Amino acid sequence: MLFTAVNPNKVGIKYGESKFTVMYRGIPLGKALVPGFYREAHSVRNVEATIAVDRANLLQADAANLIKDTSLNDRVELRVLGDVGAKICILNFDSPGVQVKLLFQI
């Protein structure tokens, strides 16, 4: 899974390691792990996460829909759930944890 981290703020943001649950039509497919990283002020960075599918509990109809979405639409709508730890970085000092706004477009 590839997503873009955009920081439009005037300060840098340090993101901690994050774990997400990846879901397809309400069914958990697996877990995604994103390593921690630093995002400079006014910057954009592509971040890659690998989805580990340990056991997908797909019914045959759900599996058919997943295959149909990938072949016909060339994309699959996924829901990504999880928490992200972030800190503001000013002059090499980290703030306490802050709340961040995430927008996933997959």
Side-chain angles (χ1 to χ4, degrees):
M1 177 171 64
L2 183 68
F3 63 95
T4 304
V6 179
N7 181 5
N9 302 299
K10 296 180 181 181
V11 295
I13 300 176
K14 184 187 291 185
Y15 295 93
E17 180 179 84
S18 302
K19 295 178 183 177
F20 300 103
T21 299
V22 180
M23 305 197 48
Y24 171 73
R25 295 187 179 195
I27 301 163
L29 290 180
K31 301 284 183 184
L33 178 66
V34 179
F37 62 94
Y38 176 74
R39 191 69 267 127
E40 294 85 7
H42 301 293
S43 63
V44 178
R45 174 184 176 181
N46 286 330
V47 179
E48 186 175 322
T50 302
I51 301 173
V53 179
D54 45 354
R55 287 186 307 177
N57 295 321
L58 291 175
L59 298 174
Q60 194 167 9
D62 294 321
N65 286 333
L66 181 59
I67 292 169
K68 179 182 171 186
D69 284 349
T70 56
S71 60
L72 293 178
N73 303 323
D74 195 31
R75 67 191 70 199
V76 176
E77 184 175 322
L78 300 174
R79 186 169 186 194
V80 181
L81 306 170
D83 294 320
V84 177
K87 296 181 179 188
I88 295 173
C89 299
I90 302 173
L91 301 173
N92 291 328
F93 292 103
D94 295 345
S95 73
V98 295
Q99 188 174 28
V100 296
K101 177 183 176 184
L102 296 178
L103 171 64
F104 281 103
Q105 294 178 328
I106 300 173

